[in-house]
Amino acid sequence: MIAYRKAKGTTPGPGFLWLSGFNSDMQGSKVLALEAWAKERGNPFLAFDYSGHGEADGAFVDGTISAWREDTLAVLDALTDGPQILVGSSMGGWMALLAALARPEKVAGLVLIAPAPDFTQKLMWPDLSAEAKAEIMNAGVHMQPSDYGDPVPITKALIEDGEQWQIMDAPIAFDGPVRILQGKEDPDVPWTHALQLVELMAAPDLIFSLIKDGDHRLSREEDIARLIATCGEISERV
């Protein structure tokens, strides 16, 4: 079962749907700050945990892009009303883009933080050692050391399943406003990856903000203030 937090909203306006990153959850500093801001404004707000993440059922090691995409669409369909601004961090950026492609009538705008579409093929797999790749292909899983905590299981199923959801090999159709926040010092998602995404997106109203000293998380006080200001600005657009 998916775990979620929902605020219905008290004023007219778009809702905000938060999409977390790979191996992250709805308890992070960015999502909590954005939730408090949305509630203060009276905007509808929803955050949830994908299966195998945070408070949701399931095991993380069993997760795939397909499963987490299904979680995202299920939440968007069943738990939101009216136009939504999807706020996606890292893998959440991939989920936001997949949702926008699948539900264009529901997604009014996108705020993407260090977006990592296609990360399984274009970022994760090339960065693995030959030994790690062999372990994944032969044993089905490799425990990858992480700068953010315990080693993370990288499975053959995750890598192979991710291939079918790649979107950065062709133009990406989305007409709503898009805002991308990217740290230049991001060690996990190179800023050039986000710039390539900019070039592929059809949206005419797209602003790419490169934070010169920003890292991957963009969770400093000034980063969160920038995120909130960006969400406020895009909400006026939709």
Side-chain angles (χ1 to χ4, degrees):
M1 183 178 295
I2 297 171
Y4 68 92
R5 294 195 308 269
K6 180 177 180 179
K8 289 185 177 181
T10 57
T11 59
F16 288 91
L17 173 59
W18 173 267
L19 299 167
S20 299
F22 180 71
N23 199 31
S24 188
D25 59 36
M26 60 178 175
Q27 301 298 335
S29 57
K30 292 191 295 292
V31 58
L32 293 175
L34 188 64
E35 180 180 19
W37 169 82
K39 287 180 177 178
E40 185 177 348
R41 282 169 48 106
N43 286 103
F45 182 87
L46 181 66
F48 73 100
D49 285 334
Y50 312 110
S51 56
H53 289 69
E55 300 171 22
D57 290 345
F60 179 80
V61 71
D62 295 328
T64 60
I65 300 303
S66 288
W68 299 327
R69 175 184 176 273
E70 288 179 11
D71 292 342
T72 300
L73 294 179
V75 166
L76 186 61
D77 291 342
L79 297 176
T80 69
D81 298 300
Q84 300 294 309
I85 296 172
L86 306 190
V87 186
S89 178
S90 194
M91 184 185 80
W94 193 0
M95 294 296 115
L97 290 161
L98 290 173
L101 293 171
R103 302 287 189 272
E105 73 283 359
K106 293 274 290 185
V107 181
L110 298 171
V111 178
L112 309 177
I113 308 155
D118 300 12
F119 78 89
T120 50
Q121 267 65 36
K122 293 183 172 63
L123 299 177
M124 179 179 281
W125 185 255
D127 197 46
L128 291 170
S129 67
E131 292 78 11
K133 291 177 179 178
E135 187 177 12
I136 289 170
M137 298 311 294
N138 296 325
V141 63
H142 163 72
M143 299 303 296
Q144 178 73 357
S146 170
D147 293 334
Y148 307 110
D150 295 333
V152 178
I154 307 300
T155 66
K156 182 179 180 181
L158 174 70
I159 298 297
E160 292 184 343
D161 175 80
E163 185 172 2
Q164 67 179 304
W165 298 113
Q166 292 186 94
I167 58 174
M168 289 186 64
D169 296 319
I172 299 169
F174 181 73
D175 294 329
V178 180
R179 302 293 179 266
I180 297 177
L181 304 176
Q182 174 70 44
K184 193 170 187 293
E185 300 302 319
D186 187 337
D188 301 306
V189 180
W191 66 271
T192 51
H193 189 75
L195 188 59
Q196 183 183 358
L197 176 62
V198 170
E199 296 298 326
L200 289 169
M201 294 203 70
D205 181 9
L206 188 157
I207 297 175
F208 173 62
S209 299
L210 184 64
I211 297 94
K212 187 173 183 179
D213 64 345
D215 61 7
H216 181 61
R217 287 187 166 184
L218 292 178
S219 292
R220 300 169 302 181
E221 185 176 339
E222 61 267 33
D223 297 323
I224 291 175
R226 184 181 293 108
L227 170 62
I228 288 173
T230 300
C231 288
E233 184 266 333
I234 201 171
S235 70
E236 300 301 322
R237 296 279 181 176
V238 302

